[in-house]
Amino acid sequence: MTFKRFVIFLAVASVVFASIDLYFQFVNVRNELNEELTDVSTVFSQRIEGIIHLISIMKLPDNVTLPPGIKGVIEIDNEGNVVRSYGFNDYTKALYEFSVMSGSYISPLINLDGSPAITIASKTPSGIIAVEIDPRISIPDRNIYIVDQSGFGVNLSDGEWKTFISILAKNSNFIIEWPYLFIKDATYGNYTLVNQVRISSLIYRALIASLPSYVLIFVFFLLTGLLYLYLKKKDRPIEEFLNFLGEIKIFSKYEGKEDQKFVKNYNDLVNEWNKLSKGYASVIDEISQTNADLIKFNDLYAELPMIFERIDSEESFNDAIKIVARRILDLSKCVKGVGVKYGQKIFNIGTITSYDLQNNGTKFNLEIKTHSNTLGFVLDLDRFTTTDIFKELLISLLHHIGSVVSMHELREERNESARYDPLTELLTRQEFSNLVFREIEILKREQGQSAFVLIDIKDFREFNERYGHFEGDVLMKYISKVIKNSTRITDISCRWGEDSFAIYFANFRKTDMKAKEAEILGKIKEFKREVNIKIGVSYYPQDGETFEELMKMAEERSESENES
């Protein structure tokens, strides 16, 4: 290598280093903007939560002076009638019904003559109190928008309106639509904060942050040039020395008489040199192959979380396992087949068959215990080309896949537990409402009929005081067991309140309900303590065609029932 080539190599390496540093500075700037957006999201969420908490406990006086940021306030009684209203512009019956159902309500963005507003309502002991607020906050030098689910957004600083439908439709938090980078973060009440940043400004900030690196490269080249001039002046030509090193050839045997001792010794030395050269070349090849394998393994390590993070069904989980099996097969030519067994499910690709998964035989196999299942791997490895290092890397990768699958199982277990009441193991009220809403839509299309039952434990508080809270929990579990045994797989049941249960009987006729009601009451009466139960029943479509109407009718009939 000549000195000129050495300088060219340094220049190329410096350009690569500078490019990599610029990229990482760009990523750092982008992450800083994301953290700023997260902070704004936290402030917005705390503001909304604070307002909801305040209005849930407040009582509206006759005269109200609206503070800055509050556009209007309204009080509604328990019948949906307006009691007081100060500057409130958008009261609808839907606001009252949503607030009664969920306890609180946050509206989409409202455009009041070009000025943005959000309606926040909360249930109070006397009815509903709702306020209209201006969501804008002072954020200097930032282009941040608050966007509702419809994609309609407003700038938090200057009030500019804009649509972000294409931005919300994409799963990534960082979206590039030239000349802008959009950073989004979900916040309170199904809103999304979107930071719109010019890509040119990001590159400028990254260049400023990379300036020390460029100065260091310049100083390095300057010192290299000075060193070259110094050595040339001292008549010590490095270039000639490097050329000399490049011209050194591999020793060759001396063609002379073998009886001469020095010739024989020299040729023996050449033979040893050739052996060492071949061994060195083999080691270099092995190191190069190991480095290539490491790059592929690292890529798969980075890809695994992304493969499993979007799983929302059993089918998508099966697709994720198939993708992982395909990636393992693509790691190296020495992997000829991959089989994965997860519980009773079997996935295979390449030379591995279902028989190999049932009978391990001579194939490489590894079984890993996940959080709630067992993950088995069977691989067909070429015995001539598979190195020990590759096998160690493969074992480590398979254990990591087991850890990723365990994390998925934990997320699924957590999501499943959020749908059910921990004491009774019945659905929560929210999950029950979501499912029954869909069932009613189906009934409307098919013109079917069904029944809604509300079971209420009368004087449950006195029962707890008399027998203890533990005995109250036993009663709740007993009634939930009665409900499970008295319902079909197509029926839906939940814990409706602290001392009440709700049941939806699908495709159930009114003439059959009396017998079912008597059956449930009879089983509850078998409890070891005396229990007073009230039952209210409503029927679709006779008593109403919406979920709210049917549950309200069931509650009214429950209240009018005599003690059972």
Side-chain angles (χ1 to χ4, degrees), residues 272-286:
E272 292 297 323
W273 170 258
N274 290 336
K275 291 179 182 178
L276 287 173
S277 298
K278 292 179 181 178
Y280 175 74
S282 176
V283 170
I284 293 298
D285 290 342
E286 187 174 344

Side-chain angles (χ1 to χ4, degrees), residues 342-357:
Y342 181 74
Q344 300 300 318
K345 300 173 185 175
I346 291 177
F347 311 90
N348 56 285
I349 188 172
T351 58
I352 293 294
T353 64
S354 300
Y355 175 82
D356 295 322
L357 285 162

Side-chain angles (χ1 to χ4, degrees), residues 425-436:
E425 297 181 356
L426 296 175
L427 291 173
T428 62
R429 179 170 177 165
Q430 184 62 45
E431 189 66 22
F432 176 82
S433 301
N434 294 338
L435 292 176
V436 174

Side-chain angles (χ1 to χ4, degrees), residues 87 118 194 217 550 560 563:
I118 295 176
V194 177
I217 293 172
L550 293 165
S560 64
E563 290 185 2

Side-chain angles (χ1 to χ4, degrees), residues 18-32 202-214:
S19 301
I20 294 174
D21 183 70
L22 179 62
Y23 169 77
F24 281 107
Q25 293 298 341
F26 181 91
V27 172
N28 288 337
V29 171
R30 186 191 69 178
N31 291 338
E32 289 174 3
L202 287 180
I203 296 175
Y204 174 77
R205 290 178 61 178
L207 285 170
I208 295 299
S210 299
L211 191 60
S213 300
Y214 302 150

Side-chain angles (χ1 to χ4, degrees), residues 12 28 41 57 185 235 258 271 334 381 409 482 514 548:
V12 172
N28 288 337
S41 176
I57 61 175
D185 183 64
D235 198 23
E258 290 293 335
N271 289 333
C334 67
L381 303 177
E409 292 171 347
V482 169
K514 286 295 182 182
E548 294 83 357

